Amino acid sequence: MNAKKLSEEVSVSPQIMPADIAAIAAQGFKSIVCNRPDGEGTDQPLFAEIEAAARAAGLSARYIPVSTGKVTDEDAAAFGDALSQMPKPVLAYCRTGTRSTTLWALSEGARRPAAEIAERAKAAGYDVSGVLSRISNKGLIDTDHPVASHDIVIVGGGAAGAAVAASLLRRRPNLDIAVIEPAETHYYQPGWTMVGGGVFQKEETAKAMGAVLPRRVTWIKAAVAGFEPEANCVVIEGCRTIRYKHLVVCPGIKLNWDGVEGLSQTLGKNGVTSNYRYDLAPYTWELVRSLRSGRAIFTQPPMPIKCAGAPQKAMYLSADHWLRKKCLKDIDIGFYNAGGVLFGVADYVPALMEYVKRYDVTLNFNHTLLAVDGPAKKAWFKKAGADGAAETIETSFDMIHVCPPQQAPDFVRSSPLADTAGWVDVDPATLRHKRYPNIFGLGDASNTPNAKTAAAARKQAPVCAENILFDMGLGSALCAYDGYGSCPLTVERGKIVLAEFCYGGKLAPSFPKYIIDGMQPSRAAWILKERILPPIYWKAMLKGREWMARPKVMA
């Protein structure tokens, strides 16, 4: 925890963890303010976890969440009210500390000269010049004076963003590219299922962002607040702007933990877990190993979600462990799916159903998780009937693995780039935005009707790179993405059903059947998942090496 003092009463810091609270109290802080919305990052503890640790240490805690770059006068007033009411000194935090600094600057505007506010923020390592400009411009963002300009700006440094940057530079090493990404860590998220199954250690799935992004890109370590496409600008936190000639939008997906009542308060304890968070995947494995009898529930929310097979992967690996430990007969497994089918591509369902029968899983379709009470070990679902009627179903559990509802990031959903559902609105073949021709989108935040997987991003990245270069007059042809996605369904430890398909559910196997028959569980597919795909991700996909991912020229 690295606190930066803005005044005698207020300091700010990047994201803190529950384990930091003791040190924060030892430094003399009396109160904590969280300005970061829950679910913004996959390695982020929920405010409820921070609040519980703070109270145990005798500190006050308050939740004033602000979406990146969406700081309003009302937010600043609430922040100022909190500071006036809470014991001091106060530590405020968000992802990087910028939002908290912005709130402080706005709340202090009537008390301190602008020059003093700017000087204090600068001494703490934060630039609030854009905030002060916004105040002088009566709330308008200054797009005439960007803090930087680049030929290509990529929003997001995850799988899609890092891959498309590498693909572009592999083709044209001298391109002027900036990647806007606030996170310091890059995660191999497909590995979290294996962590939850006791196969990988979580540390194997994480690397420093600076070591993953191509060396020739400019890394802008900031969060995006919004877009001004008419001015060819991206707005970043602190009301600053970055100008581009071409923009690539791939910030990933938002996990809406608050979309299930009570989940934030109990996640990570009381038998409630999720492989969709880096720090909780080991807890999944802890629960699986310790459960010898009782009821285990696995949930899947309405689509779209990242890796639609992940909820059942967790279920199959857990059940396989219980079978091997000879306690499966004493464990009642329930799969609660908001959808109406086990898997969206029917060709793979027969193989999966064999495992449903083997593990004696009770399938509950059209069941959407509404609420969780961890201490009481109860969950409630909305069951949709064929006639459109709905009823609430209550069930108990000893362990529950939750896949949270998901949506595009807030700054995408509220932007001119979004479709009516909030996703980046792109052509499904070229990945070019439907209204802004110099903007492209790929990965989980786009509205292409494919599975949201790293395998999809691996195929999208070179298509996006080729089409940007073609648009710049540096490429020879437009290329097309065919909707390829892959879902290695870990049906038991040592075997996988390798689902590969394109738009419309058309099967798209990468290997001859004598090597891997995707419609049957195989040891070869497990070896691919466990030993081959991680190096391909780190050393090929993120380095612009496009083995089995060459883009196809449009007909």
Side-chain angles (χ1 to χ4, degrees):
M1 193 278 297
N2 186 16
K4 302 291 183 67
K5 183 181 288 188
L6 297 174
S7 71
E8 292 304 314
E9 297 181 339
V10 182
S11 296
V12 296
S13 85
Q15 176 71 55
I16 63 174
M17 305 298 287
D20 297 327
I21 298 297
I24 291 170
Q27 291 180 35
F29 289 102
K30 303 298 184 185
S31 302
I32 293 173
V33 176
C34 172
N35 299 130
R36 190 180 186 191
D38 283 342
E40 193 175 64
T42 53
D43 57 351
Q44 169 193 354
L46 302 175
F47 173 68
E49 299 171 61
I50 298 293
E51 183 181 33
R55 287 180 175 174
L59 304 184
S60 297
R62 190 167 299 189
Y63 187 47
I64 307 176
V66 177
S67 295
T68 302
K70 303 298 182 184
V71 180
T72 65
D73 292 340
E74 291 75 17
D75 293 327
F79 186 79
D81 289 343
L83 295 185
S84 67
Q85 298 165 9
M86 301 179 79
K88 298 173 183 62
V90 177
L91 176 68
Y93 75 90
C94 54
R95 185 200 294 264
T96 63
T98 299
R99 266 168 286 184
S100 298
T101 304
T102 299
L103 286 164
W104 174 82
L106 290 172
S107 67
E108 291 288 303
R111 296 176 51 193
R112 300 178 192 269
E116 181 186 345
I117 293 173
E119 183 178 347
R120 285 176 175 267
K122 184 177 181 180
Y126 298 98
D127 179 3
V128 295
S129 58
V131 178
L132 300 178
S133 174
R134 168 186 141 180
I135 295 172
S136 63
N137 287 336
K138 299 180 179 180
L140 298 177
I141 300 294
D142 181 7
T143 58
D144 293 330
H145 302 91
V147 297
S149 297
H150 298 275
D151 289 341
I152 301 171
V153 171
I154 300 171
V155 173
V164 76
S167 288
L168 283 163
L169 289 170
R170 176 69 63 169
R171 289 162 170 79
R172 294 280 175 167
N174 296 322
L175 288 171
D176 172 25
I177 301 175
V179 174
I180 305 176
E181 172 54 61
E184 295 185 348
T185 306
H186 182 109
Y187 296 103
Y188 176 57
Q189 295 184 31
W192 292 351
T193 292
M194 304 291 263
V195 174
V199 183
F200 291 171
Q201 296 298 310
K202 71 174 184 178
E203 291 77 12
E204 298 175 57
T205 69
K207 289 189 178 183
M209 186 66 68
V212 171
L213 293 177
R215 286 175 295 183
R216 292 188 295 274
V217 306
T218 299
W219 178 18
I220 300 174
K221 190 181 174 185
V224 170
F227 303 95
E228 296 287 346
E230 302 296 342
N232 292 324
C233 283
V234 177
V235 183
I236 60 174
E237 55 190 355
C239 303
R240 296 167 292 160
T241 55
I242 308 293
R243 183 161 290 159
Y244 59 81
K245 292 181 181 177
H246 283 83
L247 175 67
V248 184
V249 184
C250 46
I253 203 167
K254 177 182 177 180
L255 305 179
N256 184 18
W257 299 106
D258 290 330
V260 176
E261 183 182 345
L263 180 58
S264 297
Q265 290 72 36
T266 193
L267 194 59
K269 55 189 177 183
N270 301 315
V272 183
T273 189
S274 178
N275 288 344
Y276 276 78
R277 216 174 83 181
Y278 171 74
D279 61 322
L280 292 183
Y283 183 52
T284 301
W285 180 230
E286 178 186 329
L287 292 174
V288 170
R289 284 184 298 169
S290 63
L291 189 67
R292 308 295 295 182
S293 64
R295 181 158 172 73
I297 291 177
F298 298 82
T299 76
Q300 181 167 314
M303 294 296 176
I305 61 172
K306 69 165 75 180
C307 191
Q312 5 182 350
K313 294 180 191 181
M315 176 180 70
Y316 296 135
L317 282 179
S318 301
D320 179 64
H321 175 79
W322 295 324
L323 180 63
R324 292 170 188 264
K325 293 298 180 180
K326 301 185 181 348
C327 61
L328 181 62
K329 66 183 185 306
D330 299 316
I331 297 175
D332 177 22
I333 303 175
F335 185 54
Y336 288 78
N337 186 351
V341 294
L342 184 60
F343 194 71
V345 182
D347 298 80
Y348 299 106
V349 172
L352 299 177
M353 282 301 300
E354 289 301 313
Y355 282 90
V356 168
K357 295 173 185 175
R358 174 187 293 188
Y359 302 135
D360 195 22
V361 175
T362 300
L363 298 178
N364 302 278
F365 295 123
N366 303 308
H367 281 65
T368 302
L369 182 62
L370 296 176
V372 176
D373 185 335
K377 298 292 183 73
K378 292 185 181 296
W380 291 266
F381 295 84
K382 181 181 75 173
K383 179 184 178 182
D387 58 355
E391 60 178 315
T392 299
I393 304 295
E394 177 186 304
T395 187
S396 60
F397 64 84
D398 294 282
M399 166 192 169
I400 182 170
H401 178 276
V402 177
C403 175
Q406 298 167 34
Q407 61 193 42
D410 294 337
F411 68 86
V412 169
R413 296 170 62 230
S414 62
S415 78
L417 308 187
D419 64 8
T420 55
W423 306 94
V424 182
D425 194 14
V426 299
D427 178 89
T430 65
L431 307 180
R432 186 196 298 269
H433 198 276
K434 292 179 181 177
R435 298 186 299 281
Y436 302 104
N438 65 333
I439 297 178
F440 291 77
L442 70 158
D444 293 347
S446 69
N447 66 352
T448 50
N450 58 274
K452 295 183 182 296
T453 65
R458 187 172 72 90
K459 290 293 188 80
Q460 290 173 337
V463 170
C464 187
E466 286 284 359
N467 290 346
I468 289 173
L469 293 176
F470 181 79
D471 202 51
M472 295 173 68
L474 301 174
S476 58
L478 281 174
C479 293
Y481 169 59
D482 61 5
Y484 175 86
S486 175
C487 186
L489 292 148
T490 50
V491 289
E492 63 176 285
R493 190 174 182 127
K495 286 190 178 180
I496 276 175
V497 172
L498 182 60
E500 296 180 281
F501 44 89
C502 295
Y503 286 141
K506 180 182 177 182
L507 301 191
S510 297
F511 305 95
K513 278 192 174 183
Y514 66 84
I515 296 177
I516 296 178
D517 182 352
M519 288 186 285
Q520 299 297 325
S522 72
R523 173 69 179 169
W526 177 272
I527 293 171
L528 179 72
K529 168 76 173 177
E530 181 188 22
R531 304 178 190 174
I532 300 175
L533 289 183
I536 286 177
Y537 181 84
W538 296 115
K539 298 179 181 180
M541 175 178 168
L542 302 189
K543 302 298 181 184
R545 300 183 178 98
E546 295 161 6
W547 176 65
M548 298 182 71
R550 295 287 182 183
K552 298 177 182 178
V553 175
M554 291 188 72

